[in-house]
PDB file of all heavy atoms in Angstrom:
ATOM      1  N   VAL A  24      33.185   2.008  19.063  1.00  0.00           N
ATOM      2  CA  VAL A  24      34.054   2.137  20.239  1.00  0.00           C
ATOM      3  C   VAL A  24      34.834   0.934  20.477  1.00  0.00           C
ATOM      4  O   VAL A  24      36.011   0.999  20.800  1.00  0.00           O
ATOM      5  CB  VAL A  24      33.096   2.541  21.501  1.00  0.00           C
ATOM      6  CG1 VAL A  24      34.031   2.450  22.754  1.00  0.00           C
ATOM      7  CG2 VAL A  24      32.512   3.862  21.350  1.00  0.00           C
ATOM      8  N   ALA A  54      44.108  27.953  -5.947  1.00  0.00           N
ATOM      9  CA  ALA A  54      44.640  28.130  -4.560  1.00  0.00           C
ATOM     10  C   ALA A  54      43.492  28.027  -3.577  1.00  0.00           C
ATOM     11  O   ALA A  54      42.401  28.513  -3.786  1.00  0.00           O
ATOM     12  CB  ALA A  54      45.337  29.477  -4.460  1.00  0.00           C
ATOM     13  N   LEU A 143      29.525   4.766   8.003  1.00  0.00           N
ATOM     14  CA  LEU A 143      29.429   6.190   7.876  1.00  0.00           C
ATOM     15  C   LEU A 143      30.182   6.865   8.983  1.00  0.00           C
ATOM     16  O   LEU A 143      30.987   7.813   8.754  1.00  0.00           O
ATOM     17  CB  LEU A 143      28.034   6.665   7.780  1.00  0.00           C
ATOM     18  CG  LEU A 143      27.255   6.464   6.470  1.00  0.00           C
ATOM     19  CD1 LEU A 143      25.775   6.888   6.615  1.00  0.00           C
ATOM     20  CD2 LEU A 143      27.887   7.116   5.295  1.00  0.00           C
ATOM     21  N   ALA A 314      -0.759   7.130 -37.449  1.00  0.00           N
ATOM     22  CA  ALA A 314       0.196   7.100 -38.525  1.00  0.00           C
ATOM     23  C   ALA A 314      -0.183   6.013 -39.556  1.00  0.00           C
ATOM     24  O   ALA A 314       0.054   6.233 -40.728  1.00  0.00           O
ATOM     25  CB  ALA A 314       1.576   6.869 -37.947  1.00  0.00           C
ATOM     26  N   TYR A 358       3.804  -0.453 -36.329  1.00  0.00           N
ATOM     27  CA  TYR A 358       4.323  -0.465 -37.664  1.00  0.00           C
ATOM     28  C   TYR A 358       5.135   0.750 -37.971  1.00  0.00           C
ATOM     29  O   TYR A 358       5.923   0.761 -38.929  1.00  0.00           O
ATOM     30  CB  TYR A 358       3.109  -0.468 -38.638  1.00  0.00           C
ATOM     31  CG  TYR A 358       2.280  -1.776 -38.453  1.00  0.00           C
ATOM     32  CD1 TYR A 358       1.107  -1.780 -37.679  1.00  0.00           C
ATOM     33  CD2 TYR A 358       2.671  -3.047 -38.963  1.00  0.00           C
ATOM     34  CE1 TYR A 358       0.377  -2.900 -37.413  1.00  0.00           C
ATOM     35  CE2 TYR A 358       1.944  -4.165 -38.837  1.00  0.00           C
ATOM     36  CZ  TYR A 358       0.793  -4.129 -38.013  1.00  0.00           C
ATOM     37  OH  TYR A 358       0.034  -5.218 -37.796  1.00  0.00           O
TER      38      TYR A 358
END
Side-chain angles (χ1 to χ4, degrees):
V24 172
L143 286 176
Y358 300 98

